[in-house]
């Protein structure tokens, strides 16, 4: 019994011993049958993965992230869940390096070694303020200019400018002198050009505010608002129409260029574009302590500027900025299509060319104060108003607008041209407008010969007609009076045309020639109308066909005089152009000639139709007066032929003073030459009475005195009858 209990106890002890020899997780069985702790950190390399340290614990372990890293789930101690990720201290901790340095993130750390502009590292990882004013004084550098005072501030400095100087709101740039007097006006174009005085007033106030240190500190500069006001004011000046004088053009150009020089440094952006219905501008500004370098290309629809910042800044004192601007005027070419007297040396084959504007007007502005002689040429590419290739008769030149209100080519050269563009290179700018001029070479030698010979023949024929109508007594009457004065007017008109149509200088003389041509050519048509009225009265008013000479003179010379006087009052500048002494084709003045001409032709056509219809009726009567009717029919045919030639001539004359008109010029000249010969042939040579008068006159000159006396006393009956017959015919003609 006792031995049985002992055996049971012994079995239980053996079982307990076996259970006690199995160690828990994290422990190992050692010699002597003991459980000892496992060091997982040593047994398993990288158990905590990257950027973490492993720490062993009794029966386990834990991981902790390295400094500069944090657990993905925000835990401090962890085993296997999650991982360590890098911490960006520069973002996580605001202003970790203080206000004077820049934070640079590193893997697991950061650095504050990069100091902000205006600070420097003192060697102890601290950034301290740099006293720029003191350092500049030690180095004998001029930070603020001769009229500026340097004031140090935390991390920077500012320049306090004296009165009359400014840094355009950029406190760390040099003080530059201001020329506010350029916006005074002084009774120039501002007094006559509406709206320019407002621009000058606005710019002068802005200039004075910048030049006054106390006002400049109170008023915040706003270049964008100022440039918008400027071009809005320019739009109001140009929108009503073209400018009246060269002085107005010069005043506007110089004012706008000076305004851009003042506003440009106040603009915040490096590139500014501004477009209105009248202008388009692009302004580029570079700022910095050193002069900018590199190319500049400014472009718009009508022009391109190519230069560089070295040229724009110049070689003089650097104010801390450089400016370049390209400004194009969309309609100003109409106001400057004159004043070409300064263009010399463009003659070809002894012919002085005529000029006209062939591009938009473009202004180039740079901050370089010395633009009279640039160190490098600027290149400007201009778009033609019309696509036309150069030829022997047409060439393009590059010119600029001088301050005295004339065009000049000094220092500007044509580099190349095609049908659409011309490339110009210029040695200077000086705030002048750069443009192109078209100089078509006209009036070939052949056309001049035809004109002179043809008009000379016409003038000789007209002289014969005038002498015939004046002294030939057998044809005296209303119709002869009309023909006489028609020939006188045509003679004077052709004489002015031959002597003065191309004499454009002086301007006053050219205007006078144009007015005389206008008057006498209108008078020719007026007398032609009176001839139609006379024919109408001869057929319709048989017993009252004559017209009083006073009424003829008042109508024939008074009507064209009234038209010319009214036209000269309304459009005085339209008499004479740069190419010809004739009416300008612009502004509708040419219709003061073609309007009355068309009206007269229509009236004459009506009178001739009625005359022909009445003649046909009278020929169909039972007892027609055939002699009288045949005579009226002959008068009608010659009048219609004369009207057709004169009217056809001015159909071509309407296109005479335009481009590419050589063929038209030849036709007009030939028809103009035919006028005198036609009148002489129809009204003199075809008239039997006139031929007899010519024969009688020649016989008086060629026959000796005795022979003429014997002929005069002859009693030949046939001669007496012939003379009586001629007398009767003369009487009839006189009555007509």
């Amino acid at each position: 019994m006792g031995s049985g209990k002992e055996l049971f106890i012994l079995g239980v002890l053996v079982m307990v011993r076996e259970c006690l020899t199995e160690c828990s997780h994290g422990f190992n069985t050692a010699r002597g049958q003991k459980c000892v702790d496992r060091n997982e950190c040593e047994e398993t390399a990288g158990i905590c993965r990257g950027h973490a340290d492993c720490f062993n614990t009794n029966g386990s372990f834990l991981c902790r992230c390295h400094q500069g890293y944090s657990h993905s789930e925000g835990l401090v101690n962890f085993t296997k869940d999650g991982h360590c990720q890098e911490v960006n201290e520069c973002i996580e901790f605001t202003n970790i390096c203080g206000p004077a340095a820049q934070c640079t993130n590193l893997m697991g750390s950061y650095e504050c070694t990069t100091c902000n502009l205006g600070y420097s590292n003192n060697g102890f990882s601290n950034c301290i303020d740099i006293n720029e004013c003191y350092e500049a004084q030690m180095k004998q550098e001029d930070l603020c200019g001769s009229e500026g005072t340097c004031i140090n501030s935390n991390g920077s400095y500012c320049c306090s400018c004296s009165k009359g100087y400014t840094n355009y709101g950029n406190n760390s740039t040099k003080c530059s002198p201001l020329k506010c007097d350029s916006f005074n006006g002084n009774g120039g174009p501002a007094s006559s050009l509406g709206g320019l005085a407002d621009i000058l007033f606005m710019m002068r106030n802005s200039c004075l505010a910048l030049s006054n240190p106390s006002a400049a500190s109170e008023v915040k500069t706003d270049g964008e608002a100022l440039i918008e006001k400027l071009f809005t004011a320019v739009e109001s000046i140009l929108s009503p129409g073209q400018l009246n004088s060269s002085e107005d053009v010069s005043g506007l150009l110089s004012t706008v260029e000076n305004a851009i020089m003042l506003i440009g440094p106040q603009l915040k952006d490096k590139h500014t574009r501004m477009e209105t219905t009248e202008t388009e501008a692009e302004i580029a500004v570079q700022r910095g302590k050193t002069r900018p370098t590199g190319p500049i290309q400014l472009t718009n629809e009508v022009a391109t500027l190519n230069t560089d910042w070295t040229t724009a800044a110049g070689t003089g004192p650097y104010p801390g900025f450089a400016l370049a601007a390209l400004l194009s005027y969309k309609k100003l070419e109409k106001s400057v299509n004159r004043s070409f007297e300064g263009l010399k040396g463009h003659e070809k084959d002894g012919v002085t060319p005529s000029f006209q504007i062939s591009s938009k007007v473009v202004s180039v502005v740079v901050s370089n104060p010395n633009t009279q002689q640039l160190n490098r040429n600027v290149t400007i590419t201009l778009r033609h108003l019309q696509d036309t290739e150069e030829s022997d008769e047409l060439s393009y030149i590059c010119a600029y607008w001088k301050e005295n209100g004339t065009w000049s080519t000094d220092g500007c050269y044509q580099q190349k041209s095609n049908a659409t563009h011309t490339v110009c290179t210029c040695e200077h700018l000086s705030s002048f407008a750069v443009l192109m001029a078209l100089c078509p070479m006209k009036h070939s030698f052949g056309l001049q010969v035809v004109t002179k010979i043809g008009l000379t023949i016409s003038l000789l024929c007209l002289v014969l007609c005038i002498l015939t109508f004046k002294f030939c007594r057998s044809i005296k009457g209303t119709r002869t009076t009309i023909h006489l004065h028609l020939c006188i007017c045509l003679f004077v008109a052709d004489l002015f045309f031959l002597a003065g149509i191309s004499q454009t200088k002086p301007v006053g003389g050219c205007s006078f020639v144009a007015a005389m041509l206008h008057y006498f050519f209108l008078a020719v048509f007026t007398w032609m109308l009176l001839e139609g009225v006379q024919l109408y009265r001869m057929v319709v008013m048989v017993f009252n066909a004559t017209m009083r000479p006073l009424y003829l003179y008042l109508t024939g010379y008074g009507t064209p005089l009234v038209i010319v006087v009214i036209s000269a009052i309304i459009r005085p500048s339209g008499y004479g152009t740069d190419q010809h002494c004739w009416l300008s084709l612009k502004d509708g003045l040419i219709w003061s000639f073609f309007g009355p001409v068309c009206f007269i032709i229509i009236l004459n056509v009506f009178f001739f139709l009625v005359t022909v219809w009445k003649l046909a009726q009278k020929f169909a009567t039972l007892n027609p007066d055939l002699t009288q009717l045949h005579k009226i029919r002959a008068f009608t045919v010659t009048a219609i032929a004369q009207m057709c030639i004169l009217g056809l001539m001015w159909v071509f004359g309407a296109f005479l003073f335009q481009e590419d008109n050589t063929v038209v010029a030849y036709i007009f000249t030939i028809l103009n030459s035919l006028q005198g010969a036609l009148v002489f042939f129809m009204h003199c040579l075809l008239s039997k009475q006139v031929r007899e008068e010519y024969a009688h006159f020649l016989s008086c000159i060629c026959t000796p005195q005795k022979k003429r006396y014997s002929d005069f006393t002859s009693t030949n009956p046939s001669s007496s009858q012939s003379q009586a017959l001629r007398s009767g015919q003369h009487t009839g003609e006189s009555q007509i």
Side-chain angles (χ1 to χ4, degrees):
M1 214 36 208
S3 59
K5 290 181 180 179
E6 293 175 355
L7 290 173
F8 177 75
I9 292 171
L10 180 61
V12 171
L13 291 174
V14 171
M15 292 177 64
V16 171
R17 182 176 178 276
E18 290 295 331
C19 292
L20 292 176
T21 56
E22 293 182 4
C23 298
S24 301
H25 181 72
F27 293 90
N28 287 331
T29 303
R31 295 179 181 179
Q33 303 299 321
K34 293 182 179 180
C35 291
V36 296
D37 176 59
R38 292 177 54 198
N39 192 337
E40 292 87 352
C41 299
E42 294 181 355
E43 291 181 359
T44 306
I47 191 171
C48 289
R49 289 180 282 185
H51 311 299
D53 293 326
C54 182
F55 297 92
N56 187 56
T57 60
N58 190 26
S60 184
F61 69 97
L62 57 87
C63 299
R64 291 177 184 172
C65 294
H66 294 163
Q67 186 175 0
Y69 294 85
S70 63
H71 190 261
S72 59
E73 297 179 2
L75 301 177
V76 177
N77 298 321
F78 62 93
T79 53
K80 294 183 179 180
D81 296 331
H83 61 280
C84 295
Q85 58 188 13
E86 200 267 336
V87 176
N88 191 334
E89 293 85 355
C90 299
I91 298 176
E92 293 286 338
F93 306 102
T94 305
N95 205 21
I96 192 173
C97 292
Q102 293 183 356
C103 176
T104 302
N105 187 57
L106 303 175
M107 290 300 295
S109 183
Y110 66 95
E111 287 183 350
C112 296
T113 55
T114 305
C115 296
N116 291 334
L117 186 66
Y119 295 87
S120 64
N121 197 314
N122 63 355
F124 299 97
S125 299
N126 292 325
C127 295
I128 60 174
D129 174 59
I130 299 174
N131 191 331
E132 293 88 353
C133 301
Y134 176 78
E135 289 189 358
Q137 186 178 1
M138 292 296 100
K139 297 177 182 178
Q140 295 184 346
E141 294 179 355
D142 189 7
L143 282 182
C144 296
S146 59
E147 297 296 328
T149 303
C150 183
I151 302 174
N152 187 61
S153 61
N154 194 20
S156 183
Y157 70 96
C158 64
C159 294
S160 176
C161 300
S162 303
K163 189 172 183 179
Y165 291 78
T166 185
N167 50 23
Y168 299 99
N170 301 312
N171 294 329
S172 58
T173 59
K174 291 182 179 180
C175 297
S176 304
L178 286 172
K179 298 179 180 179
C180 299
D181 291 340
S182 62
F183 300 107
N184 282 340
N186 296 327
S191 60
S192 60
L193 185 59
L196 188 60
D198 296 336
I199 297 179
L200 291 170
F201 179 77
M202 176 181 66
M203 299 312 304
R204 179 170 172 79
N205 287 343
S206 176
C207 184
L208 292 175
L210 287 173
S211 65
N212 189 342
S214 59
S217 60
E218 296 174 2
V219 180
K220 186 177 180 181
T221 60
D222 189 351
E224 283 71 16
L226 201 56
I227 198 75
E228 185 174 354
K229 291 179 180 178
L230 170 65
F231 287 117
T232 301
V234 172
E235 182 180 20
S236 66
I237 293 176
L238 296 177
S239 57
Q242 67 184 58
L243 305 183
N244 295 325
S245 68
S246 299
E247 184 183 11
D248 290 343
V249 174
S250 299
L252 177 65
L253 290 175
S254 61
T255 300
V256 173
E257 290 159 6
N258 291 334
I260 291 177
M261 287 289 296
L262 179 66
I263 299 173
Q266 304 179 52
L267 298 173
K268 298 181 179 63
D269 298 330
K270 291 184 177 181
H271 278 82
T272 302
R273 285 184 176 272
M274 183 70 63
E275 184 175 4
T276 66
T277 58
E278 298 293 336
T279 57
E280 184 177 2
E282 183 178 5
I283 305 172
V285 183
Q286 289 282 5
R287 301 177 181 86
K289 293 184 178 180
T290 59
R291 297 176 187 273
T293 58
I296 302 175
Q297 185 179 71
L298 304 178
T299 184
N300 54 40
E301 292 184 0
V302 298
T304 299
L305 169 67
N306 287 285
T307 183
D308 55 72
W309 284 111
T310 303
T311 302
T315 57
Y318 177 60
F321 69 90
L323 175 146
L326 176 66
L327 172 63
S328 62
Y329 295 89
K330 297 182 178 181
K331 302 173 185 176
L332 192 60
E333 71 275 5
K334 299 178 182 178
S335 300
V336 294
N337 199 15
R338 55 176 179 252
S339 304
F340 299 117
E341 56 269 18
L343 300 176
K344 306 295 183 182
H346 299 284
E347 292 77 9
K348 185 175 181 181
D349 298 329
V351 178
T352 301
S354 59
F355 299 94
Q356 69 180 50
I357 305 303
S358 187
S359 77
K360 299 295 182 182
V361 178
V362 174
S363 292
V364 178
V365 182
V366 296
S367 55
N368 186 348
N370 183 22
T371 55
Q372 292 296 329
Q373 190 66 40
L374 301 174
N375 54 351
R376 292 190 184 94
N377 292 350
V378 298
T379 302
I380 306 164
T381 304
L382 294 164
R383 180 75 166 83
H384 297 171
L385 296 177
Q386 295 180 349
D387 297 347
T388 308
E389 289 281 1
E390 283 192 309
S391 63
D392 293 336
E393 298 180 352
L394 184 148
S395 62
Y396 293 105
I397 65 172
C398 299
Y400 68 96
W401 185 261
K402 298 179 68 175
E403 289 181 342
N404 63 0
T406 59
W407 291 108
S408 176
T409 59
D410 298 337
C412 283
Y413 312 98
Q414 178 206 28
Q415 188 174 3
K416 59 181 178 179
S417 292
N418 56 26
T420 58
H421 293 82
T422 290
V423 180
C424 302
T425 58
C426 293
E427 299 173 350
H428 56 80
L429 297 175
S430 187
S431 299
F432 296 154
V434 182
L435 55 131
M436 292 184 301
L438 176 67
C439 54
M441 306 300 178
K442 299 180 180 178
H443 307 306
S444 65
F445 178 75
L447 181 59
Q448 292 181 14
V449 171
V450 171
T451 301
K452 291 179 179 179
I453 295 177
L455 288 181
T456 301
I457 295 173
S458 180
L459 290 172
L460 291 175
C461 292
L462 288 172
V463 169
L464 293 175
C465 290
I466 293 171
L467 294 175
T468 300
F469 297 142
K470 179 65 178 176
F471 298 106
C472 189
R473 297 179 179 179
S474 62
I475 58 172
K476 292 294 183 179
T478 301
R479 184 167 173 271
T480 302
T481 302
I482 293 173
H483 288 162
L484 172 63
H485 291 279
L486 187 149
C487 290
I488 292 174
C489 293
L490 189 57
F491 175 85
V492 178
D494 284 348
L495 189 63
F496 271 106
F497 190 94
L498 179 63
I501 189 66
S502 300
Q503 305 301 319
T504 57
K505 303 299 177 184
V507 177
C510 183
S511 299
F512 176 75
V513 170
M516 291 298 99
L517 289 174
H518 188 197
Y519 175 74
F520 282 106
F521 276 126
L522 277 180
V524 169
F525 277 94
T526 306
W527 285 104
M528 189 176 71
L529 173 63
L530 291 174
E531 183 179 13
V533 174
Q534 173 65 8
L535 286 173
Y536 175 81
R537 291 169 64 89
M538 289 173 64
V539 175
V540 178
M541 305 173 66
V542 179
F543 299 104
N544 191 20
T546 59
M547 300 173 65
R548 295 183 63 181
L550 178 61
Y551 295 156
L552 293 177
Y553 299 150
L554 288 176
T555 305
Y557 292 109
T559 302
L561 180 63
V562 171
I563 295 174
V564 172
V565 169
I566 294 175
S567 301
I569 293 174
I570 297 175
R571 291 281 189 274
S573 61
Y575 283 92
T577 67
D578 294 315
Q579 295 83 27
H580 303 283
C581 297
W582 180 236
L583 305 184
S584 173
L585 300 182
K586 299 178 180 178
D587 301 325
L589 180 63
I590 192 65
W591 285 104
S592 65
F593 176 75
F594 285 117
V597 166
C598 293
F599 178 73
I600 289 172
I601 291 176
I602 293 173
L603 276 182
N604 262 3
V605 169
F606 169 75
F607 288 138
F608 293 155
L609 289 176
V610 173
T611 300
V612 172
W613 177 53
K614 290 291 185 180
L615 280 176
Q617 287 183 334
K618 291 190 176 185
F619 272 111
T621 59
L622 293 177
N623 297 307
D625 186 354
L626 295 179
T627 303
Q628 181 76 359
L629 292 178
H630 283 301
K631 190 180 297 184
I632 296 175
R633 184 177 63 181
F635 293 166
T636 305
V637 171
T638 56
I640 293 174
Q642 178 179 282
M643 185 192 70
C644 292
I645 293 296
L646 192 60
L648 183 62
M649 179 186 78
W650 281 107
V651 169
F652 291 98
F655 305 98
L656 178 63
F657 303 101
Q658 299 180 2
E659 303 299 330
D660 301 327
N661 57 1
T662 303
V663 176
V664 173
Y666 273 102
I667 296 175
F668 177 84
T669 302
I670 293 172
L671 291 176
N672 197 16
S673 304
L674 288 176
Q675 284 297 302
L678 178 69
V679 172
F680 179 68
F681 178 76
M682 290 191 304
H683 299 304
C684 295
L685 296 182
L686 290 183
S687 173
K688 183 178 179 181
Q689 295 163 294
V690 175
R691 289 200 306 269
E692 290 176 352
E693 290 287 344
Y694 286 164
H696 179 69
F697 176 74
L698 292 175
S699 66
C700 292
I701 296 177
C702 300
T703 306
Q705 182 69 24
K706 292 182 179 180
K707 179 120 186 241
R708 283 189 283 118
Y709 180 77
S710 63
D711 289 343
F712 179 76
T713 58
S714 174
T715 57
N716 191 322
S718 61
S719 299
S720 300
Q721 293 176 2
S722 176
Q723 187 174 357
L725 179 61
R726 286 199 302 269
S727 178
Q729 291 174 347
H730 296 171
T731 304
E733 173 68 16
S734 177
Q735 292 173 354
I736 295 174

